[in-house]
Amino acid sequence: MRFRLRYGRHEFDLPSGTTHIGRSLDCQVTLDDPQVSRHHAALTVDDSGARLADLGSRNGVIIDGHRVVEPELLKHGAEITIGSESLVFLVAGEAMPGPETESVLASAKRDPFQ
């Protein structure tokens, strides 16, 4: 299974092993944000999936609105907030609900007798 990380208009393939996220230039994903620690988070990919861990940052890591306490398995479409930056975790080949998909889903739920 292939995993990707979307940040702004860019998408990054996530290799097996650990990808470090932070402000430091030695991180694989560098975020230029004063609220981001030099070594803020680690995203580990293995046969069981992808897990995100906070590396003891001051401002924490948020996944889908809740703070990460211990390494957490990521699901397709998970929104990750680090500092004031927003990233999206993707599983290659999975569709993201967009405006077109949401309108089709909404119309499918409508009562045909209304």
Side-chain angles (χ1 to χ4, degrees):
M1 199 175 297
R2 284 189 18 216
F3 303 109
R4 298 177 65 86
L5 195 60
R6 181 182 298 156
Y7 174 57
R9 296 181 186 192
H10 304 285
E11 284 190 17
F12 305 96
D13 282 322
L14 295 169
S16 291
T18 302
T19 298
H20 289 94
I21 304 169
R23 212 175 60 235
S24 176
L25 295 177
D26 64 348
C27 291
Q28 289 80 19
V29 178
T30 305
L31 304 175
D32 186 21
D33 180 334
Q35 294 180 21
V36 175
S37 299
R38 285 186 300 250
H39 296 97
H40 201 104
L43 203 158
T44 303
V45 173
D46 59 26
D47 292 338
S48 65
R51 287 182 164 51
L52 185 64
D54 185 350
L55 296 177
S57 67
R58 186 174 3 159
N59 294 316
V61 175
I62 308 295
I63 298 175
D64 292 332
H66 69 276
R67 191 177 185 117
V68 173
V69 177
E70 56 187 55
E72 186 168 327
L73 186 64
L74 294 171
K75 295 177 185 168
H76 177 71
E79 185 175 329
I80 302 164
T81 304
I82 296 177
S84 63
E85 307 299 323
S86 187
L87 305 98
V88 178
F89 175 77
L90 304 168
V91 177
E94 296 286 325
M96 283 291 291
E100 305 83 25
T101 307
E102 289 169 1
S103 65
V104 169
L105 292 174
S107 64
K109 292 179 183 178
R110 279 193 212 127
D111 184 349
F113 298 104
Q114 285 186 350

